[in-house]
Amino acid sequence: MSFLHPRLLVPLAAGFAFIGLALLIVSGHSFAFDSRLVLLLRVPGDPATPLGPAWLGEAMRDLSGLGSFVGLGFMTITASLTLWLCGYRRLAVALAVSVVLATLVSTGLKILIGRERPDIVAHTALTFTASFPSGHAFLSAVTLLSIAGFVGLAARRDDITRVCLGLAWTMIILIGFSRVYLGVHWPTDVLAGWCLGVAWSSVAVALLGRGMAVEGAVAGEARLAR
């Protein structure tokens, strides 16, 4: 496969983008657009109040909850059990292991980098860890893109894969936006989480896809040998 192929170029670019952002944050670099975008979502002159009606704030908290450990955990368990019951046990185990490992990596990165949460607006959701990278953005990308990719591998149909990826990206973007709207993450936290999530899930799906292709070829040769 050529290095310019999107399936290789996109995760590589995402991985390098994450590394670049992480190095800049560790070095103490700040981004002016981080503050501008956070304040853009607040009532002018009143940084404690998000833009929009009260129901919008509740909707953002609901969306944020979908990217929590509980929300993504239920998605992972449901998808893994479904793959297992449909006979795709390797995919089921790989999905669970990938999400668990990503959760550990997310926690480790937050501790290692230790970026402070936004302090220019009032938080409208509780937080318990450091800011970079956004765990909601990173883990939602890992979980939802992995589920979409693994379902595509199991279904072996491009149309199903496209529908799953479209739905996954819609949810990923909404979850990431909700974290900035609620004032608990800088935009670069979310961007970094997305980049790392794309790279992580792409590697997971590629490795599983390659493994399934090899197994399929071996099985086909065995049938011909009979």
Side-chain angles (χ1 to χ4, degrees):
M1 182 183 293
S2 169
F3 278 100
L4 296 179
H5 195 286
R7 290 185 179 179
L8 186 60
L9 186 60
V10 170
L12 276 176
F16 281 117
F18 170 78
I19 293 172
L21 282 171
L23 290 176
L24 287 171
I25 296 301
V26 169
S27 68
H29 185 81
S30 60
F31 301 87
F33 69 86
D34 264 343
S35 298
R36 285 200 296 267
L37 289 176
V38 170
L39 290 173
L40 189 64
L41 297 175
R42 298 290 164 135
V43 173
D46 184 11
T49 305
L51 285 176
W55 63 261
L56 181 59
E58 287 300 311
M60 289 296 112
R61 277 186 284 273
D62 290 341
L63 285 169
S64 179
L66 292 175
S68 67
F69 290 131
V70 174
L72 295 176
F74 272 107
M75 294 182 201
T76 302
I77 292 170
T78 301
S80 295
L81 285 176
T82 301
L83 288 169
W84 183 279
L85 293 173
C86 289
Y88 297 97
R89 297 188 174 184
R90 184 177 179 182
L91 292 178
V93 173
L95 175 60
V97 170
S98 178
V99 172
V100 170
L101 287 178
T103 302
L104 295 176
V105 169
S106 176
T107 302
L109 286 171
K110 285 175 174 290
I111 294 173
L112 181 64
I113 297 174
R115 188 186 196 185
E116 294 295 328
R117 299 274 180 172
D119 56 359
I120 58 175
V121 297
H123 297 177
T124 52
L126 294 177
T127 58
F128 304 97
T129 58
S131 195
F132 187 95
S134 165
H136 281 64
F138 171 41
L139 295 177
S140 65
V142 169
T143 303
L144 294 170
L145 293 179
S146 294
I147 290 174
F150 290 179
V151 168
L153 291 175
R156 301 179 187 275
R157 286 179 51 180
D158 290 340
D159 56 344
I160 291 177
T161 301
R162 286 193 292 270
V163 169
C164 290
L165 285 173
L167 293 172
W169 268 114
T170 299
M171 188 59 63
I172 290 166
I173 291 172
L174 289 174
I175 289 172
F177 176 78
S178 74
R179 301 303 285 170
V180 179
Y181 181 89
L182 296 172
V184 296
H185 272 297
W186 301 107
T188 46
D189 298 334
V190 172
L191 179 60
W194 284 341
C195 289
L196 185 56
V198 167
W200 185 290
S201 59
S202 296
V203 170
V205 173
L207 290 177
L208 265 294
R210 182 181 178 86
M212 290 179 67
V214 170
E215 288 178 356
V218 171
E221 291 174 0
R223 285 194 295 271
L224 291 174
R226 293 175 187 172

